Amino acid sequence: ALNQIIEMGRDAKMKRTQQRPLVKGVLTKEQGQLAAATFAASGTSILALGTDPVTTMLGVSNIALYAGLYTYMKPRSKYNTWVGAVVGAIPPVMGWTASGGSIMDVEALLLGSTLYLWQMPHFFALSYMHRVDYKRGGFAMVPVLEENGDETASLITRYTWYLSSVPFVATLTDVTSSMFALEGLALNAYALHVAYKFRDERTNANARKVFLTSLWYLPSLLMLFLLHSKTWDDEAKDDEKDVYRKLLSEKIHSIRDAGRQMCIHEKAINSVYVGSPTNVQDDKSSACPVSLGMKKSEASVQAAADAVVSLQDDRETNQ
């Protein structure tokens, strides 16, 4: 609401924003200011009363960041998109802290990073499609400031690659099971396909494909993140205290079980271990090629970290 008040004149010049209430005169500027103040006060109050100081601080900071620095930079610097992406990355972190987690938990960092990286191909594709409109409004978007779309295409491709690493990082940090990394391959392969297609042929149609892909990609990735999160296993004891969490946890586990029934490598492993002693059957997950691959990767990372620590210790001893 604050952003629309500040940018009312620019919104009137752009086709995609000419239907906003302030531009059309449905609301006066004073009414818009009252609405913005009401939204800010009520939202902050709800956070303060229903969550914790960290979540409340994040909410208030996001209002200031969006209506302040981001809105100020939009007509002045192409780096406004990077600032705006921070605004979009904060809400899932707020959800994590509101549920009792720390802002520095790996899960919070992964959620925030996912939203931050996702916004790059999403918004650069959108701004490329509407580059003429953004230029008319006087906004300094990357596609507006270049002629051939080289930087836009490079940014979309680069950040799609960065986003593709999230399932692997989540698995290597033991936040999710290895299946998140495996299933993420299909999502990210298609996302990279449309990104490279736009890079090779910069048309509005290909930019639109990137944009539309981003719309279903994010909920799909977050759903897989949810399904394969180890939180459901690590905090099973809490399920008895919270009936809603217990129901959701049971649903998550039932979906996982159904997925295993359809998984080729799981079927192969189950067939090998049929009739084996119980202790061997319990260890069958270690024979899974996906799990083995991820365990070897984790071991390699740990070995490299140990080597660095050992080298540092040797240097300090020699000194």
Side-chain angles (χ1 to χ4, degrees), residues 55-132:
T55 306
T56 305
M57 178 197 69
L58 288 172
V60 173
S61 299
N62 229 19
I63 295 174
L65 185 60
Y66 188 90
L69 183 60
Y70 173 61
T71 299
Y72 174 81
M73 290 181 65
K74 283 174 71 178
R76 295 174 175 85
S77 171
K78 67 179 183 180
Y79 295 108
N80 69 79
T81 302
W82 281 262
V83 175
V86 175
V87 175
I90 289 177
V93 178
M94 292 173 63
W96 182 261
T97 57
S99 65
S102 167
I103 193 173
M104 296 307 296
D105 285 344
V106 178
E107 292 87 348
L109 296 175
L110 280 170
L111 287 170
S113 298
T114 299
L115 266 292
Y116 182 87
L117 296 172
W118 169 83
Q119 286 175 93
M120 298 306 184
H122 170 81
F123 188 74
F124 284 129
L126 176 68
S127 57
Y128 185 87
M129 289 189 293
H130 297 284
R131 60 194 182 280
V132 175

Side-chain angles (χ1 to χ4, degrees), residues 15-307:
K15 290 182 179 179
R16 65 184 296 265
T17 54
Q18 285 177 346
Q19 298 302 310
R20 289 181 174 177
L22 290 174
V23 176
K24 291 185 66 177
V26 176
L27 293 176
T28 64
K29 185 176 181 179
E30 291 71 24
Q31 289 173 325
Q33 292 171 337
L34 177 61
T38 302
F39 298 154
S42 60
T44 302
S45 298
I46 291 172
L47 290 176
L49 295 173
T51 61
D52 59 90
V54 173
T55 306
T56 305
M57 178 197 69
L58 288 172
V60 173
S61 299
N62 229 19
I63 295 174
L65 185 60
Y66 188 90
L69 183 60
Y70 173 61
T71 299
Y72 174 81
M73 290 181 65
K74 283 174 71 178
R76 295 174 175 85
S77 171
K78 67 179 183 180
Y79 295 108
N80 69 79
T81 302
W82 281 262
V83 175
V86 175
V87 175
I90 289 177
V93 178
M94 292 173 63
W96 182 261
T97 57
S99 65
S102 167
I103 193 173
M104 296 307 296
D105 285 344
V106 178
E107 292 87 348
L109 296 175
L110 280 170
L111 287 170
S113 298
T114 299
L115 266 292
Y116 182 87
L117 296 172
W118 169 83
Q119 286 175 93
M120 298 306 184
H122 170 81
F123 188 74
F124 284 129
L126 176 68
S127 57
Y128 185 87
M129 289 189 293
H130 297 284
R131 60 194 182 280
V132 175
D133 216 13
Y134 277 112
K135 185 175 182 179
R136 189 182 296 118
F139 292 110
M141 303 303 174
V142 171
V144 173
L145 302 177
E146 60 175 350
E147 294 183 3
N148 53 17
D150 281 350
E151 186 175 3
T152 303
S154 175
L155 287 167
I156 287 175
T157 305
R158 189 191 317 163
Y159 277 95
T160 302
W161 272 110
Y162 296 160
L163 188 58
S164 299
S165 69
V166 169
F168 294 98
V169 174
T171 300
L172 289 171
T173 53
D174 208 34
V175 172
T176 65
S177 71
S178 56
M179 288 305 298
F180 183 43
L182 180 67
E183 293 171 1
L185 287 173
L187 280 178
N188 290 311
Y190 185 78
L192 285 165
H193 167 70
V194 295
Y196 275 99
K197 191 170 184 178
F198 174 74
R199 188 199 66 174
D200 296 337
E201 188 179 355
R202 291 159 208 158
T203 64
N204 278 3
N206 284 337
R208 182 175 176 79
K209 288 179 181 178
V210 174
F211 177 75
L212 292 177
T213 297
S214 72
L215 296 182
W216 59 259
Y217 173 95
L218 183 63
S220 299
L221 186 72
L222 292 179
M223 181 57 70
L224 291 177
F225 195 126
L226 176 68
L227 285 175
H228 298 301
S229 171
K230 290 189 175 181
T231 300
W232 304 108
D233 303 321
D234 297 339
E235 300 180 6
K237 58 184 179 181
D238 294 335
D239 293 347
E240 301 299 328
K241 303 176 183 178
D242 189 335
V243 63
Y244 296 107
R245 179 182 175 81
K246 181 179 180 181
L247 291 173
L248 182 57
S249 180
E250 290 175 351
K251 186 64 177 177
I252 292 293
H253 283 94
S254 68
I255 294 174
R256 285 181 179 178
D257 292 338
R260 291 191 182 101
Q261 297 301 318
M262 296 184 289
C263 183
I264 296 174
H265 75 269
E266 288 278 359
K267 285 184 177 180
I269 293 165
N270 286 335
S271 65
V272 171
Y273 283 90
V274 169
S276 300
T278 303
N279 62 326
V280 177
Q281 290 186 31
D282 290 340
D283 192 47
K284 67 184 179 183
S285 62
S286 63
C288 169
V290 177
S291 297
L292 281 173
M294 295 311 302
K295 287 178 180 178
K296 287 181 179 179
S297 297
E298 292 172 3
S300 299
V301 172
Q302 185 61 49
D306 292 341

